[in-house]
Amino acid sequence: MSRTRDVTFLLLDDFSHIAFACAVEPLRIANLLQGEEIYRWRLASVDGERVVCSNKTITLVDQGLTDLPPRSSLFLISGQNVGDRATSGVLAFLRRERARGTRIGAICSGAHVLASAGFLNNRRAAIHWSFHDSFQENFPEVELCRNVFVSDETFVTASGGTAATDLMLHLIGETHGEDLAAAIADMMVYSGVRPADAAQQISLQARHGIRNPHIAEAIRLLNESAPYHLPTSEIARTIGISTRQLERLFQKHLKMSPKQFAINQKLSRARNLLLQTEQSISEIALACGYESPSHFIRTYQNRFGVTPHNQRVFAATPQTVYQIA
């Protein structure tokens, strides 16, 4: 018989429910297929009683921030408002478990908490793509990995959602063999298992079925020059076509001009910073290439139908909590 491995999931308020389910279900199915308890898991929270997840349902837990069984693995799962969750108590618990030899990982926005503890300095880490901008602002000493998970570091990290399943299948495969990992994926009707270096998002070209190399190169140049995007004329000259040709290509494939594409990219970054950081609206406007906060506010409202201030207020407003029987 295999030695049972203890796994603890530390769930912080607003944790991603889908990320948690995608992490714990492979363990349950592994036990089912093996016909024995090769994994045993428990849930932990700050208060040791319950935790409210991102969809506002309540999850009961087994313990608080107390010592874990020897040779445990600990996965921290968080979601929105992660900056508020890296409390002194949570960080002290993580440092204590690290000193006790617990293997520690993080899922979804959890890498933010590990970075707050100083665990990820000069290491590679994955975090959900919507946190990339704020993570880079807060932790420049961490090498941000834009792929689905990182498993070859001391601290394993996954970007959330179904990437949690990708990571767990990888870890199960390392320990119990690829055949078991494949059988678990089949049970989950999960045929698109991804390796660590897979991209988190579908590329713009793939999403729109774009195969034109000029469009791909123009998008690369726009992204590399953000937030002060290159003029359309300079991009066209660099890729060897006329400005008019480039504008026609963007209209044909993306239904917008290169300038509007660049504005949308800036505003998407601004929204991420609004929701994930405590930077002022003026600071976010400057970080996204706007010289005037008033111009930024007008442009943002025209794009999303809400002002930056109201967007932030809504995100911070408590919503109804549901008790699941």
Side-chain angles (χ1 to χ4, degrees):
M1 293 181 64
S2 303
R3 179 178 71 81
T4 301
R5 294 174 178 269
D6 285 292
V7 178
T8 299
F9 294 99
L10 172 57
L11 308 176
L12 302 183
D13 276 333
D14 290 320
F15 74 92
S16 166
H17 210 174
I18 188 172
F20 169 56
C22 285
V24 72
E25 280 299 288
L27 305 184
R28 179 189 69 81
I29 297 170
N31 290 350
L32 175 69
L33 294 177
Q34 287 294 92
E36 59 177 306
E37 189 179 55
I38 58 175
Y39 290 101
R40 178 172 51 224
W41 57 91
R42 66 186 64 210
L43 310 183
S45 72
V46 171
D47 68 5
E49 297 180 1
R50 63 175 217 165
V51 61
V52 180
C53 74
S54 56
N55 59 24
K56 303 308 173 187
T57 55
I58 295 172
T59 299
L60 303 180
V61 302
D62 304 298
Q63 69 171 81
L65 304 180
T66 54
D67 289 354
L68 302 183
R71 299 184 300 279
S72 287
S73 294
L74 169 65
F75 290 95
L76 183 152
I77 306 180
S78 54
Q80 297 294 323
N81 305 310
V82 65
D84 298 332
R85 309 306 177 205
T87 63
S88 58
V90 169
L91 298 182
F93 169 72
L94 292 173
R95 291 175 180 133
R96 187 169 68 247
E97 285 303 317
R98 181 188 186 186
R100 296 180 68 240
T102 298
R103 187 182 189 190
I104 299 175
I107 296 170
C108 194
S109 66
H112 188 289
V113 182
L114 299 192
S116 297
F119 291 176
L120 301 180
N121 290 355
N122 302 312
R123 298 182 189 276
R124 295 167 60 247
I127 192 169
H128 190 279
W129 62 264
S130 66
F131 294 89
H132 284 178
D133 293 319
S134 60
F135 192 81
Q136 286 182 306
E137 292 273 336
N138 289 311
F139 306 107
E141 65 279 7
V142 180
E143 183 182 344
L144 175 63
C145 174
R146 297 178 181 273
N147 300 333
V148 287
F149 67 85
V150 172
S151 64
D152 56 352
E153 292 280 2
T154 302
F155 302 94
V156 297
T157 49
S159 55
T162 55
T165 292
D166 295 316
L167 173 62
M168 301 309 281
L169 291 176
H170 173 80
L171 297 176
I172 291 169
E174 282 189 330
T175 305
H176 296 286
E178 293 300 325
D179 287 346
L180 177 59
I184 294 168
D186 285 343
M187 287 288 287
M188 295 180 71
V189 197
Y190 187 53
S191 59
V193 181
R194 295 167 294 183
D197 60 358
Q200 288 189 37
Q201 294 174 276
I202 301 171
S203 70
L204 192 71
Q205 294 94 310
R207 186 176 297 147
H208 294 276
I210 299 171
R211 293 180 173 82
N212 188 288
H214 294 315
I215 287 277
E217 181 64 7
I219 290 173
R220 184 187 68 79
L221 291 170
L222 282 169
N223 289 336
E224 287 183 355
S225 61
Y228 302 102
H229 296 286
L230 293 171
T232 302
S233 58
E234 187 173 338
I235 292 174
R237 185 168 56 252
T238 301
I239 64 179
I241 62 176
S242 70
T243 301
R244 191 172 178 183
Q245 282 178 300
L246 182 60
E247 288 177 340
R248 280 204 303 264
L249 285 172
F250 267 74
Q251 287 293 344
K252 177 182 177 181
H253 294 287
L254 299 175
K255 311 300 185 218
M256 68 182 76
S257 67
K259 181 179 179 181
Q260 187 58 53
F261 177 85
I263 291 172
N264 288 350
Q265 294 291 90
K266 290 202 297 187
L267 291 173
S268 293
R269 180 169 188 258
R271 182 165 59 179
N272 288 339
L273 292 175
L274 271 170
L275 297 177
Q276 311 300 345
T277 75
E278 296 181 359
Q279 290 180 325
S280 69
I281 290 173
S282 295
E283 290 171 331
I284 292 172
L286 185 62
C288 294
Y290 289 91
E291 296 182 3
S292 163
S294 60
H295 180 215
F296 164 63
I297 292 169
R298 286 196 306 273
T299 307
Y300 192 97
Q301 186 169 16
N302 288 338
R303 175 71 177 88
F304 297 118
V306 63
T307 65
H309 172 76
N310 288 342
Q311 178 103 70
R312 181 171 268 175
V313 167
F314 176 79
T317 301
Q319 298 181 37
T320 304
V321 174
Y322 302 93
Q323 176 77 54
I324 301 299

